[in-house]
Amino acid sequence: MKTQIEETPRSSAFNESMACRLIAFGAVLFLLGLVSGLLTGLAANPRMALSAHMQGITNGTFLIAIGAVWGRIQLPNALQNLTFWALLVGTGFNWLTVQLAALWGTGRLTPIAGAGFQGKAWQEMVVSTGLLVVTVAMLLAGLLLVAGFVRRGAG
């Protein structure tokens, strides 16, 4: 049985506000990706810095695209909020964690771009934790986005 909160649809102004915030955060993330690309030579691991550059650009573009179609996602309010925050945390932490891995030269959970690199134990823990948060957040966001688009198509 649905609760009253789930049955009350969001106002279009509120949905538009969420969409605008996704687009704005995406633009900031895109800019951070560009800056990361300019600073690859300063990183302990330039190959990982290139990964941070690509994460910023691709995740920023992804958020801009999701913001553009945000009104087409049909989810209960609580799941829409969860999707919104999972997207922001997942994409933001993705860029930040990979950028930190590049600056610190960590390599525990990044065997390809981080091959031959090892940071201090606490740095490896920060990056490993960040990457695990990213994995959970982005899988959750992806699942909820698919569900929201499928529900829209079925409704």
Side-chain angles (χ1 to χ4, degrees):
M1 177 175 222
K2 291 185 178 181
T3 65
Q4 184 62 34
I5 293 173
E6 290 177 357
E7 293 174 4
T8 306
R10 280 233 160 88
S11 71
S12 61
F14 190 82
N15 274 332
E16 183 66 24
S17 173
M18 290 179 93
C20 287
R21 286 185 281 165
L22 285 169
I23 291 168
F25 190 79
V28 168
L29 199 52
F30 187 89
L31 180 61
L32 289 171
L34 291 175
V35 172
S36 292
L38 293 172
L39 304 176
T40 55
L42 301 176
N45 180 350
R47 187 171 183 182
M48 187 66 76
L50 179 60
S51 294
H53 162 68
M54 294 305 298
Q55 290 303 321
I57 289 175
T58 56
N59 280 302
T61 303
F62 173 66
L63 285 180
I64 291 168
I66 293 299
V69 298
W70 188 251
R72 295 181 177 270
I73 298 167
Q74 186 177 352
L75 290 170
N77 293 344
L79 291 180
Q80 190 176 18
N81 280 338
L82 182 59
T83 305
F84 175 84
W85 286 107
L87 286 167
L88 292 187
V89 168
T91 57
F93 268 63
N94 199 347
W95 171 81
L96 178 62
T97 302
V98 175
Q99 186 65 52
L100 290 174
L103 294 172
W104 293 339
T106 63
R108 183 182 302 155
L109 287 186
T110 53
I112 296 173
F117 289 90
Q118 184 175 359
K120 296 175 183 172
W122 70 268
Q123 292 170 331
E124 292 285 353
M125 181 60 72
V126 168
V127 170
S128 295
T129 301
L131 291 174
L132 291 174
V133 168
V134 167
T135 301
V136 171
M138 292 308 290
L139 285 172
L140 178 62
L143 178 66
L144 290 169
L145 286 171
V146 169
F149 286 125
V150 168
R151 281 189 68 183
R152 171 73 180 208

